[in-house]
Amino acid sequence: MEILDSKNDNVTILELVGRLDTTNYNVLEKKIIDLIDNNVVYILIDCSKLDYVSSSGLRILLMALKKIASAKGKFVLCSLQENIAEIFEISGFTSIFEIFPGRAEALGSFSS
């Protein structure tokens, strides 16, 4: 998995490329914890190039959501591919996360 990061105003965008699974979930975990430790609490995860997410990956996303919520920040997801959306639906994560169809809609949620 590759993580491409960028900024849009006060929102940090992490674009995940490839597979998020047991072999690399710790990379995303460290990235998110480092951001939170540096008071970055507005994070958008762009999943448009994410091919697969395992239960380990889901656990990291849930951990990030909880940590950012406790820091009064915002953590949203966007652009889930069909197979990823299905995993989120089956696991019940669609009712836990704010998920947007595209990056523009997700970024717009930070200004409301």
Side-chain angles (χ1 to χ4, degrees), residues 42-55:
Y42 296 105
I43 298 177
L44 164 61
I45 303 291
D46 185 334
C47 300
S48 61
K49 295 178 182 166
L50 182 65
D51 298 326
Y52 173 78
V53 62
S54 71
S55 59

Side-chain angles (χ1 to χ4, degrees), residues 25-90:
Y25 73 89
N26 56 337
V27 176
L28 180 61
E29 180 178 33
K30 182 179 182 335
K31 179 78 173 178
I32 291 172
I33 289 173
D34 286 349
L35 288 169
I36 295 169
D37 287 347
N38 288 297
N39 298 317
V40 175
V41 293
Y42 296 105
I43 298 177
L44 164 61
I45 303 291
D46 185 334
C47 300
S48 61
K49 295 178 182 166
L50 182 65
D51 298 326
Y52 173 78
V53 62
S54 71
S55 59
S56 299
L58 291 173
R59 185 182 63 79
I60 294 308
L61 294 173
L62 187 59
M63 177 274 306
L65 177 66
K66 289 180 177 179
K67 283 187 177 291
I68 290 175
S70 68
K72 309 285 188 224
K74 187 167 182 156
F75 184 82
V76 304
L77 308 171
C78 76
S79 307
L80 275 63
Q81 294 187 35
E82 191 174 318
N83 61 324
I84 304 295
E86 188 176 321
I87 291 169
F88 272 72
E89 185 69 41
I90 291 169

